Amino acid sequence: MLWATAGVVTLGFLITLEIAARHYTGQPGPMTNQAREVIFAPKPGPLYGGLALMMVVLTWRERFIAAGAAIGIDAVFVLVRWAVDAETLDGHFFGNGALWVMLGYAVIAVTRRTGRERVLLLKAVGLGLLLVAGRKTGDTWLLITAKTRSEVLDPYLATADHALGNPSWLAGRILQATGPISTRLLDLVYAQLAVAAVVVALYQLRNVAAERRFPSHHLVRTFLVIGLLGPAIYMIFPVVGPIFAYGPGTSGTGGVQWAVADLWPDTLPPINTPHPVPYDAITPRNCMPSLHTAWATAIFIHSRKGPRILRFAGAFWLIATLSATLGFGYHYGVDLVAGVVFALTIEAALRSQERGWDRAGLQLVAYGAAVFAALLMSYRYLPMEMAGHPWVSGPLLILAMTSVIYGYVRTTKLWEPKAAPARQPELRPAPQSDQREAVTPAGVPAPGTTNPYS
């Protein structure tokens, strides 16, 4: 019933987003774009990542067959496109095969499987397609934010960011000074966040084929919910980021001609009374909160129970993502604080739903939501006070974020199953032997006994 309800809600959301995209942007929505990729060249995205997630329910033999079929189908599509000189998106050729195989297994689940096996395979196909659809949904959301929010609130965040010492300006200068190696590394980490998520998710789902069931909670759930709810905050608090509002960055027709001033990263923005500023209809308003930070935080959390190399990779990806978001000028420091709180609140809600809502879970989710709302309100209505008293407001921001982190760690530790102590074997007293000698009436030891006086 839960999966059926989730499926109906997801379908309704996708239909609504399809209608909104056509109404506000004049462009097809996520459902049309996904259907288009059955035949036409796909947009770069996690198609093979979705296939990998789907294959967690298959045997190794079935996995090799599915992967081989996907690669073979892609090879045919590539040859046909090369022969007819078909147009591709960003020179991207591959991906149709993965989509075909996932759809094929959906047909197999309906026609060839029954009972629990059918449900398990349909869950796997749905998980893979949701990962792919999540990318399409995000692209549509970003386009809607650009078309419907003509003004952005960057001056408010730039002013509030003085409380944290304008970390984006500092990180931008550091990245420029460290040369192309650090830039390429951070760009790779920033662009391949979904790959890191798939790796962690595959580790969490590694036993599905053997156990014939999915774990009650895993990274993909958190990833999808963050991507679903985050763009709604974009609509409430539209922000384009330092590189676009205060620097020479370009996005379509955006850039310096739309910027408040060309300051990033060399000159700190002045502390003036902020106000909304107009911006182009192309650049996404996708800064508040930083979803890259939220996703990297989720990867870090879910990698904690893996082997050492996975834990190290999760920590590295979080640090590198934070460095990239600031160093490339995509986010202000206050965006990252909000992103961490946003991720922990969603993760707490999903874990509470998984284990059954209790008082501790409700309190943690309510507290995280209250802190997140307080952060948005302070950025919007108290930026001048924050900039004027950085030695007070800065530590308060960090303290607010740290309190949510502490609450999450403390509460989830209470939820962890405690290992039962090893049962010690009962110590029974040794049977005491009768030390009295058996003697005959004449005082002579009975046969078979020892005379201590002999």
Side-chain angles (χ1 to χ4, degrees):
M1 182 62 69
L2 178 63
W3 277 85
T5 303
V8 171
V9 171
T10 301
L11 180 61
F13 172 75
L14 291 175
I15 292 174
T16 302
L17 199 59
E18 182 79 25
I19 296 172
R22 293 180 180 275
H23 175 73
Y24 289 111
T25 70
Q27 301 291 327
M31 297 181 69
T32 301
N33 287 330
Q34 192 64 73
R36 181 181 181 277
E37 291 184 355
V38 174
I39 300 297
F40 296 98
K43 186 176 181 179
L47 281 164
Y48 272 91
L51 177 63
L53 287 179
M54 188 215 72
M55 291 195 298
V56 296
V57 303
L58 306 180
T59 63
W60 278 107
R61 178 177 177 273
E62 292 171 334
R63 289 171 187 171
F64 284 121
I65 294 174
I71 295 172
I73 293 171
D74 262 334
V76 172
F77 271 96
V78 169
L79 290 175
V80 172
R81 290 188 184 113
W82 175 77
V84 301
D85 195 21
E87 181 182 357
T88 62
L89 296 173
D90 301 326
H92 189 75
F93 289 90
F94 294 93
N96 301 91
L99 183 58
W100 275 59
V101 171
M102 284 189 282
L103 296 176
Y105 267 98
V107 175
I108 291 173
V110 175
T111 60
R112 304 292 298 275
R113 303 288 175 87
T114 59
R116 295 181 61 184
E117 287 299 312
R118 172 185 290 174
V119 173
L120 184 68
L121 185 53
L122 285 177
K123 286 180 180 179
V125 172
L127 195 65
L129 290 177
L130 275 177
L131 183 67
V132 177
R135 176 67 178 268
K136 299 289 186 295
T137 300
D139 292 343
T140 302
W141 261 122
L142 296 183
L143 188 58
I144 291 175
T145 64
K147 296 294 185 182
T148 60
R149 293 296 180 262
S150 58
E151 293 183 327
V152 297
L153 304 179
D154 283 77
Y156 292 86
L157 294 191
T159 303
D161 217 34
H162 282 277
L164 298 176
N166 301 98
S168 180
W169 270 255
L170 175 61
R173 291 196 296 271
I174 293 174
L175 200 60
Q176 287 183 351
T178 52
I181 296 178
S182 59
T183 301
R184 290 173 182 171
L185 175 63
L186 293 183
D187 184 59
L188 177 65
V189 170
Y190 191 85
Q192 301 302 325
L193 187 69
V195 175
V198 169
V199 171
V200 176
L202 289 177
Y203 174 79
Q204 292 181 319
L205 303 176
R206 67 193 183 281
N207 295 324
V208 172
E211 297 175 355
R212 310 312 294 165
R213 65 179 181 85
F214 280 91
S216 56
H217 181 54
H218 48 82
L219 175 60
V220 181
R221 298 176 76 222
T222 307
F223 228 72
L224 292 174
V225 175
I226 288 175
L228 177 67
L229 299 181
I233 312 300
Y234 293 164
M235 300 290 288
I236 299 171
F237 212 117
V239 181
V240 293
I243 188 67
F244 299 112
Y246 292 95
T250 58
S251 175
T253 59
V256 176
Q257 65 269 36
W258 289 95
V260 177
D262 189 1
L263 303 175
W264 187 90
D266 300 315
T267 306
L268 294 180
I271 302 177
N272 297 323
T273 302
H275 57 85
V277 295
Y279 212 82
D280 67 19
I282 298 175
T283 307
R285 281 61 164 152
N286 61 341
C287 282
M288 178 53 67
S290 168
L291 293 196
H292 261 77
T293 298
W295 282 320
T297 301
I299 291 173
F300 174 80
I301 292 172
H302 283 265
S303 66
R304 291 307 87 198
K305 293 186 178 180
R308 179 177 297 179
I309 187 172
L310 196 65
R311 298 196 302 270
F312 174 80
F316 167 77
W317 223 270
L318 176 60
I319 295 171
T321 299
L322 298 181
S323 302
T325 56
L326 293 173
F328 291 140
Y330 296 151
H331 288 282
Y332 303 91
V334 290
D335 302 346
L336 275 59
V337 172
V340 171
V341 174
F342 186 69
L344 291 175
T345 304
I346 289 176
E347 178 70 16
L350 291 174
R351 292 199 61 179
S352 296
Q353 181 270 331
E354 167 215 353
R355 66 185 306 277
W357 290 94
D358 59 8
R359 183 176 181 180
L362 287 170
Q363 288 177 339
L364 177 60
V365 174
Y367 180 70
V371 171
F372 182 73
L375 291 175
L376 294 185
M377 296 290 285
S378 63
Y379 299 161
R380 180 64 174 83
Y381 298 107
L382 299 174
M384 289 296 291
E385 289 75 7
M386 295 173 67
H389 303 86
W391 293 104
V392 176
S393 53
L396 284 177
L397 285 178
I398 302 301
L399 180 62
M401 179 184 70
T402 305
S403 68
V404 176
I405 297 173
Y406 173 76
Y408 176 84
V409 173
R410 182 174 179 271
T411 304
T412 52
K413 277 187 176 180
L414 297 176
W415 292 344
E416 295 295 332
K418 294 181 174 61
R423 188 173 181 179
Q424 299 293 332
E426 293 185 9
L427 298 178
R428 297 181 179 180
Q432 297 184 3
S433 59
D434 192 355
Q435 301 296 326
R436 294 172 299 177
E437 285 190 2
V439 295
T440 61
V444 180
T449 62
T450 302
N451 184 1
Y453 302 105
S454 60

